[in-house]
Amino acid sequence: MTEPLNSELPDNSLQSSELLCIGNPLVDVFVNIDNNFALKYGILEPVQHIDREKAEVILNDTSINFAESVKSSGGGAANVAKISAMLGMNSAFSGCVGYDELAKIFEEEMISAGVSAMLVKTQGRTGLCFVYNLDGEIRFAASPGAALELNESYISEELIGSAEAVVVDGFILDRRPFVQYILRHASRKGIPVALDAASIFQVKSKAEEILTYSRNYPLFVFMNADEALAFYHTIRKSRDEPVNLSEKEKETIILRDVCPMLKIITDGELFPIMVVKLGGRGALVVAGGNVYREETFAVVPRNTVGAGDAFCAAFISAWLRGKSLSECAVLGNKVAREILEVPGTHIKSSKLKAFAKILQK
């Protein structure tokens, strides 16, 4: 395998972990803005990408005190690694960062959480994601930077084979050869791979691939309610996808229409295990043709960023420790609820101690 040029590779060949997480390392920057700021920089969509030049201009805008803003390591797979480590798991994360201050912030927070951070350093700039609060409405503007440079050249077969489970960030689905490389080598060792759908847009463009992967590899698939509905309508090639639904209406349609399809996909097999996160309404797990429903109680969230990743971290951690699927979902609900109280996954390990003890039993 050819070593990429202009990069600093970690020594990961001898590392082993319960959970290996692979994805896009980002630093989440949480800031409050007003409408004038949003219009000035074109932050008009709920989720959008911005080029690095614009991101740097925004960071240097003196109308926002970025020095006092909350900054947290982020990215779906990184969040899973961080929360699972706080739950007492032997967790590792691999991704690409730059040689800048953001890389230091990311690495220090991951190591502080107990993650084995196997970061590849390249000449690009470390990815960042602005999480804007505009009068209670959250808007994301991401500039992934160096994170997009991660590929199969950086991840050894030995590293994949040394894990008990692998978590793949759904945003790397665009790098098809890379994803297939991970799935192939994990499958040869009988190692399950957990894939979070990441976004509605990813689901709509990658639904057929996700379905194919679920039929050919030992796969966990995590989706939220909107992603599950998008998956269903894309696979069914339906043109009558409903809009502006309440959370209860989404749950009703998922139970009535989506779950029967997922039961067919999973019937008679150990994998795939399909998990639908319903936020304040709990979670659904479909496995072996059966549906498991675990409710939770709703809370008023301070911030929903990272809650789904925390659910995934707790679910997979519990599964690796031999818990039933229902127990996995219950723990996922509880840990996700804690994350709703903080910006992103910027939480103290002490807040998760009681859940870590559950995994020790």
Side-chain angles (χ1 to χ4, degrees):
M1 189 174 294
T2 303
E3 180 176 313
L5 299 176
N6 300 318
S7 64
E8 180 182 322
L9 298 175
D11 179 14
N12 60 29
S13 60
L14 299 179
Q15 297 285 344
S16 62
S17 59
E18 290 178 284
L19 197 58
L20 170 63
C21 302
I22 302 170
N24 294 338
L26 306 173
V27 173
D28 291 335
V29 182
F30 295 82
V31 288
N32 296 320
I33 63 170
D34 57 24
N35 198 51
N36 289 332
F37 188 97
L39 291 172
K40 178 180 179 180
Y41 291 108
I43 310 300
L44 308 177
E45 302 294 329
V47 181
Q48 65 189 90
H49 277 82
I50 56 175
D51 61 49
R52 196 51 184 232
E53 287 69 26
K54 177 185 277 190
E56 295 296 330
V57 170
I58 293 173
L59 280 173
N60 290 312
D61 191 315
T62 56
S63 68
I64 299 291
N65 189 348
F66 283 103
E68 295 184 1
S69 64
V70 174
K71 299 178 182 68
S72 174
S73 60
N79 286 337
V80 173
K82 181 164 63 173
I83 297 302
S84 60
M86 289 182 176
L87 291 172
M89 304 296 289
N90 178 2
S91 301
F93 173 79
S94 188
C96 287
V97 296
Y99 289 91
D100 49 26
E101 191 61 33
L102 290 177
K104 293 178 183 177
I105 292 172
F106 181 90
E107 187 170 16
E108 287 173 2
E109 187 160 330
M110 296 294 279
I111 291 173
S112 177
V115 178
S116 177
M118 295 176 285
L119 301 176
V120 179
K121 295 190 176 180
T122 75
Q123 298 305 310
R125 295 172 180 172
T126 301
L128 67 90
C129 180
F130 294 105
V131 185
Y132 295 116
N133 185 338
L134 177 59
D135 296 327
E137 179 190 351
I138 301 298
R139 296 181 184 178
F140 299 89
S143 178
L148 298 180
E149 298 180 41
L150 187 69
N151 58 56
E152 57 268 34
S153 300
Y154 296 117
I155 306 293
S156 69
E157 298 173 22
E158 293 80 11
L159 180 63
I160 295 172
S162 67
E164 294 181 25
V166 177
V167 174
V168 174
D169 192 322
F171 282 112
I172 72 169
L173 281 169
D174 294 328
R175 285 163 264 178
R176 186 181 301 171
F178 184 28
V179 172
Q180 292 176 348
Y181 168 86
I182 295 169
L183 290 168
R184 197 165 55 247
H185 288 292
S187 180
R188 285 174 183 169
K189 298 284 188 177
I191 299 167
V193 174
L195 173 68
D196 192 290
S199 75
I200 295 175
F201 308 105
Q202 284 292 83
V203 170
K204 287 184 175 180
S205 64
K206 302 294 189 301
E208 292 289 350
E209 286 180 35
I210 294 172
L211 181 60
T212 298
Y213 295 153
S214 72
R215 286 172 170 164
N216 291 284
Y217 301 102
L219 201 67
F220 289 87
V221 178
F222 291 86
M223 298 179 281
N224 64 26
D226 291 324
E227 292 158 357
L229 290 169
F231 182 76
Y232 171 79
H233 287 286
T234 304
I235 294 298
R236 293 288 300 270
K237 297 180 171 53
S238 171
R239 297 186 180 182
D240 58 350
E241 186 174 351
V243 295
N244 299 322
L245 298 173
S246 69
E247 295 307 309
K248 185 168 179 55
E249 287 172 329
K250 292 176 188 175
E251 179 186 8
T252 299
I253 294 173
I254 289 170
L255 285 167
R256 185 191 69 206
D257 299 334
V258 181
C259 281
M261 183 182 76
L262 298 183
K263 285 175 67 176
I264 292 171
I265 293 171
T266 64
D267 188 32
E269 302 291 342
L270 177 59
F271 292 104
I273 295 173
M274 316 289 282
V275 184
V276 182
K277 302 168 290 186
L278 300 173
R281 306 192 68 81
L284 293 163
V285 183
V286 187
N290 298 306
V291 179
Y292 305 87
R293 176 78 169 92
E294 291 300 334
E295 298 183 358
T296 188
F297 63 86
V299 297
V300 178
R302 175 181 173 184
N303 199 307
T304 59
V305 178
D309 301 328
F311 179 97
C312 177
F315 188 102
I316 293 295
S317 296
W319 186 84
L320 285 172
R321 293 292 172 86
K323 306 298 183 182
S324 70
L325 292 175
S326 291
E327 290 174 314
C328 293
V330 168
L331 186 66
N333 287 334
K334 290 179 178 178
V335 173
R337 197 160 55 238
E338 292 294 326
I339 299 301
L340 296 174
E341 301 298 322
V342 298
T345 53
H346 199 65
I347 191 170
K348 295 179 179 178
S349 296
S350 59
K351 291 284 187 181
L352 303 180
K353 242 178 205 178
F355 306 122
K357 289 181 179 178
I358 293 173
L359 295 180
Q360 294 171 5
K361 295 178 181 178

